[in-house]
Amino acid sequence: MPVTVNGITHQAEPRPGQCLRTFLRELGWFGVKKGCDAGDCGACTVHLDGLPVHSCVTPAFRAEGREVTTIEGLAGPDGPHPMQRRFLEAQGFQCGFCTPGMVLTAVSLNQAQLQDLATAMKGNLCRCTGYRAIADAIGGIQHVERDESLAAFGRSAPAPAGPAVVTGKARYTLDIASQAGLLHLKLLRSPHAHARIVSVDTAAALGVPGVHSVLTPTDSPARLFSTARHENPLDDPDDTRVLDPVVRFIGQRVAAVLADSEAAAEAGCRALRVEYEILPAVFDPEAAMQPGAPLLHGDKGPDARIHDPSRNLVAEVQMSCGDPDGGLAAADHRHTATYTTQRLQHAALETHAAIGWLDEAGGLNLRSSTQTPFLTRRALCDLFGLPLERVRVLCERVGGGFGGKQEMLTEDIVALAVLRTGRPVRLEFTRQEQFIGAPSRHPMRVTVTLGARRDGTLTAIDLRVVSNAGAYGNHSGGVLHHGCGECIGVYRCPNKRVAGYAVYTNTLPSGAFRGYGLSQTVFAVESAMDELARALHLDPFELRRRNVIGPDQEMHDDVQMGSYGLTQCLDLVEAALRRGDDAPPDGSWRIGQGMALAMIHTAPPRGHFAQARIVPHPGGGYELTVGTAEFGNGTTTVHAQIAAAVLGTSPAAIRIRQSDTALIGHDTGAFGSTGSVV
Ligand code: FES
């Protein structure tokens, strides 16, 4: 059928049932993104005869004989469309994965719709920006200064990738042309919370037209590893296999089907016959610690570095200083409460994905949506016994991370499939798989006991933290340690005690997520502080002022204060709240306001390491090579600023190559808010 896309007429036949999104991407229009494939997020927005549609829920045949405009076709002869310029001037993006859809919807709004932007844009979701920068862009508010001759620091520098992001030229993980012989990988996931896989009958699946092969636990390397990525791999327990003969949560991988198309691979998964031996399961971390509870990793030895497999304990923290019981006894008022936090998904708009292939020299290449290309390469080498120089991991631009991509969730199974078949292999999580197969934030139950004198001076802080690690221990130790220490490190109290437990349960594994445990424990401690303030008839600001650590006081064994702005910070926030800066102008909403105090100690205990190289570029300026991945974190902007400042030039003179293990020696990764510092 003829379809005109951005003024170019294609003659192409959609497959039966094919949606417009995949049809356009197969024609090479990669500005059309996938966020949900359910018509919810708007990342796939295109114009059909000038009107925006979600192409993931639009049948491809409806485009026959009609004009389709994708983000690549929005610019005119004079350059980018005014709306694309506005997004640049307001920097109305971070990772930019939602930006093509945002821009295409924004250009279609009429004056009435512009008056109610929240309603008009409700079909386009952004995970990164909080929408303020997007609203500013649509409203024509500028946030960056265009004059590139200005100093590198002390101003709002634009993201170097901005022009590519707003015009749809930025390339994300799967934005590459299909390779010859490409196989699509789909995962069969467990319907049981705890079961032993007795057998997998692949005969019917292998009979599905287009299915090439099936990988089952018998194909998996026996080696245990952790999906978590840290500079020191010993930080996390080795409790995971590529395909484990025991499944420990609903959604765990059981088998992988490789086929010529995604549809055939899915049909192959449906045709697999699996016999399970159901095992007892435990879902609550308190119950999982009790004697007699089903053990998730009772089969693991000391090499797995699990704190106590006989109690389902991934990690335990017991810390105290002073005399906590004495401090509580001496208090005029004691306050105890328990706070629970829920499971949360990172919901990066780009789902987890990877494409792997062998190059002519037999080297394994993986293009992946990752925050840690170098650590992922090292893990793959360990897992498959390959030398470092035989494995390359790269990512061009990543569509959001938030800690969720500090994991190896696709690369191991794709690597296994490439090594087995010798063919290129592609795996892309569906949005549903993000929720059932990718780690979430650790749900926690935190009991806080505070003792205080009548004037609010704290005499004791006592914390009990129970963290639900889920079925595997990735990140659970680090999250527990960060969460337990820093949430009370900011308070000057002589008597403190923390007992923390990260506990295996037959639920989705938890993992790294912005704040790394602190969000949960800070919520609990600060809520308890507010409740204490109320009981003592003290202003919450005053209670903090009486107890926060001072500029000359020791905070933590390995933390030294370089500067101290806590007093000013409290003053500024209090003044803003008293002014009512955030009160709705028309009184249409009833809103609550409050304050909370938090610190994060972002330098991981065993360090981050990175190499960088800068050389004159033959075309002028300089070429800076770094390993850090860019997923909206802004490190590329800062790297250009740092280089420009040192060389006495403007950031625009710095071209950056990044996040490719073939380009530079090492980079620990972009996580823990350390990308710029490293
Ligand atoms: Fe909107 Fe990342 S910038 S999802």
Side-chain angles (χ1 to χ4, degrees), residues 185-202 214-220 241-257 268-278 409 412-413 416 429 433 436-437 472:
L185 189 155
K186 283 284 175 185
L187 294 162
L188 178 72
R189 294 182 177 276
S190 171
H192 302 296
H194 201 188
R196 192 180 316 283
I197 298 170
V198 178
S199 63
V200 182
D201 182 348
T202 62
V214 179
L215 299 172
T216 70
T218 56
D219 299 298
S220 173
R241 285 183 62 183
V242 177
L243 290 167
D244 201 318
V246 175
V247 286
R248 297 177 174 86
F249 67 98
I250 292 172
Q252 183 172 332
R253 299 168 181 175
V254 171
V257 175
C269 284
R270 287 194 294 274
L272 287 171
R273 296 289 167 260
V274 185
E275 186 186 344
Y276 296 97
E277 175 196 344
I278 307 296
L409 298 178
D412 58 326
I413 188 79
L416 176 65
F429 276 17
E433 283 182 298
I436 64 165
Y472 292 91

Side-chain angles (χ1 to χ4, degrees), residues 237 304-311 313-317 502 504:
R305 299 183 305 282
I306 296 168
H307 179 67
D308 186 352
S310 72
R311 289 193 296 151
L313 283 183
V314 186
E316 182 174 351
V317 167
Y504 285 123

Side-chain angles (χ1 to χ4, degrees), residues 4 124 137 144 160 174 261 289-290 296 299 349 355 422 463 512 548-549 561 596 623:
T4 306
N124 290 79
V144 292
L174 298 180
S261 68
M289 283 192 280
Q290 299 307 312
L296 275 82
D299 57 332
L349 218 53
I355 302 180
L463 238 61
V548 291
I549 199 154
M561 273 186 240
E623 181 180 86

